[in-house]
Amino acid sequence: MRTYRRLPQFLLVLSLAGLAVPTLLAGCQAPATKEEPAQPFVFRSLNLRQKDPSGRPLWEISSPEARYDLSRRVAQARDLSGTIYAKGKPLYTITASSGTVINDGEVVQLEGPTQLVRVGPKPLVVTATRVRWYSRQERMEIDRSPRASQGDLRLTARRARFWIQQDKLELRGRPLLERSDEGTWTLALTSADWFLGTGELIGRGPVRGERRLAGSGLQTLTSPSLTGNSLRQVIDLQAPVQVLDPGRKARLDARATRLELDVERISSPHPFRAQLDQSRLSGQGFEALGGSQTLVIPQACRLQQPTDSLVANRCTWNWQTNQVTAQGSVELRRSAFQQVTRAQQLQGVATQQGQVVFSSPGSRVESQLKVPPPRRDARKQSPKAPPFGL
């Protein structure tokens, strides 16, 4: 075994397999007229390590086979694997199909399918096809197909930079934030920073999102910026938030909105306005539950339609069954006969045009309406009808 040292903190260990250089012959022999360049050494394994001032490992990288050029201090290796430590404990594992080690570890270029995995119960995985690792600066440059994922969250970009000491991944060149499930939002950002240890995510905008629906429908989303946390699977869209669905003639204007990916919930505690074809809906906050496919307006629900309007303390709307429920101090006003219906609960069904037709099966309601007076020539046959309750 041979050992070569550049600086005290670096240790390069190469196991000798054979020399690809000419051997010297004994006796007299005329010198060669042309010198052949020295061939690199071929070694059974390469092991490169660096320690901190306390003697604890900072990082290490190894390969089962390497070719080492003594004059250039460059090693070319295959099937590389390595570990990055924090306070002497493994923090990241690294694998690559091939790599080049320059100046005994000052720069390590990993090529082919390359993977960086943060050790932990919810591993965060970074993949690429080329990574340049500057060990002294504790920095990695990732410029070929960088992708980072944790749980349902996935971020891709044209290029990325990883600061090892800060545990920070910087994604640049139109990052895309998306979930692994089909039919979910894909959010395009200007840039993004992902702190891998805490899961904190900072996305700079403008944020532009797209989601394809069944039947080739397309929804779009805009927001100035977003924050989030990959460990908690939460994304917060900053105000103002707007969602457009041209196929359904729908629009949502909201303030700060939260996406909880693990429970499929979108919510906001702030006032919002929505339009579905000819109907307008507003309230104090909303909650869309993907599991039950239900929209909940917990306070100050108001529905305005061409022929009537409704106010209630709370509303729910199941967009799969089109069932609508209004609860608490419900008041429905119809333009026909100026009818007013009051109840503690009303049921309704949404039509394809977005209008809701209400009824009250089995519920106690009170209705008032105004009947226009009969014509003078018909007063004797049709006495005036007073308002009545249902």
Side-chain angles (χ1 to χ4, degrees), residues 97-164:
S97 58
S98 63
T100 303
V101 181
I102 303 171
N103 290 341
D104 300 343
E106 184 176 340
V107 181
V108 180
Q109 180 160 303
L110 307 171
E111 295 183 339
T114 302
Q115 188 176 80
L116 176 70
V117 180
R118 195 180 197 281
V119 178
K122 294 183 178 180
L124 191 148
V125 182
V126 180
T127 61
T129 56
R130 185 172 71 182
V131 177
R132 290 189 302 278
W133 178 8
Y134 300 89
S135 59
R136 291 183 181 177
Q137 303 174 23
E138 298 190 84
R139 171 172 59 93
M140 291 185 179
E141 298 288 343
I142 310 170
D143 60 1
R144 287 187 183 176
S145 307
R147 171 179 293 187
S149 60
Q150 185 175 46
D152 287 339
L153 278 180
R154 181 171 59 198
L155 260 170
T156 59
R158 294 193 181 98
R159 62 187 184 278
R161 175 178 293 165
F162 177 46
W163 296 97
I164 298 173

Side-chain angles (χ1 to χ4, degrees), residues 198-239:
T198 63
E200 180 185 2
L201 177 65
I202 301 173
R204 300 171 188 85
V207 180
R208 302 188 183 278
E210 288 187 356
R211 178 170 67 170
R212 293 209 168 270
L213 306 174
S216 300
L218 179 67
Q219 291 181 337
T220 60
L221 177 150
T222 57
S223 171
S225 61
L226 64 81
T227 59
N229 190 288
S230 58
L231 294 177
R232 295 189 289 116
Q233 295 287 286
V234 169
I235 296 175
D236 290 315
L237 298 168
Q238 305 306 311

Side-chain angles (χ1 to χ4, degrees), residues 252 254 257 266-270 272 284-288 295-298:
L252 169 69
T257 302
I266 303 174
S267 61
S268 173
H270 307 290
F272 78 96
Q284 180 66 36
F286 67 90
E287 184 179 30
L295 172 68
V296 178
I297 303 169

